[in-house]
Amino acid sequence: RMMGPCNDIATMLPAYDCFIMPSRFEGFPLSPFEAMAGGLPLLVSDITPLHSIIKEQALYFPLDQPAEPAALLLDIVTGKRDINKLAQDGLQYANQTVRRKKYTETLLRIYEVLAPARPAR
């Protein structure tokens, strides 16, 4: 079901069972982090940018083999694959990497390395 625009995604996410992102191209998408922060397990396409930012916090599927994501979804629906731990791990990962406080601390450390504090004159 396509929901259209939403002004407060955090209140909508708990109504869903998982987040599926069948992208061919991505740069640095924020939506997987929003989904993880909302406690949703991720099912995403097997592309390098998603691997580099999501790591092992998702189930990956190839876009050129439609039987694989279909089988993955069937395993989830029938209980052959439990995605609850994946959701818990994703929430923890999001809390450690992209929460405002953590993100700000990381940025400040980067700035300190790139432009160390100069002595007062």
Side-chain angles (χ1 to χ4, degrees), residues 19-59:
F19 175 84
I20 301 173
M21 187 173 195
S23 295
R24 290 195 181 279
F25 307 100
E26 287 295 336
F28 189 86
L30 296 178
S31 54
F33 287 106
E34 290 173 337
M36 283 189 288
L40 294 178
L42 306 183
L43 284 73
V44 300
S45 51
D46 191 14
I47 59 175
T48 301
L50 293 178
H51 275 281
S52 69
I53 63 169
I54 300 170
K55 314 281 186 220
E56 65 277 351
Q57 311 309 320
L59 297 176

Side-chain angles (χ1 to χ4, degrees), residues 43-119:
L43 284 73
V44 300
S45 51
D46 191 14
I47 59 175
T48 301
L50 293 178
H51 275 281
S52 69
I53 63 169
I54 300 170
K55 314 281 186 220
E56 65 277 351
Q57 311 309 320
L59 297 176
Y60 295 90
F61 58 86
L63 290 173
D64 60 347
Q65 299 170 20
E68 286 195 36
L72 182 61
L73 287 171
L74 188 59
D75 284 350
I76 292 167
V77 170
T78 60
K80 290 180 183 174
R81 184 182 290 258
D82 183 12
I83 56 175
N84 291 320
K85 174 117 173 58
L86 183 65
Q88 293 169 355
D89 292 347
L91 176 59
Q92 183 177 11
Y93 180 71
N95 286 335
Q96 293 171 349
T97 56
V98 295
R99 291 291 185 189
R100 181 177 294 158
K101 182 179 180 195
K102 187 68 174 175
Y103 182 75
T104 303
E105 290 169 356
T106 302
L107 278 180
L108 288 174
R109 281 196 305 272
I110 291 169
Y111 292 149
E112 288 170 1
V113 168
L114 295 176
R118 294 186 180 131

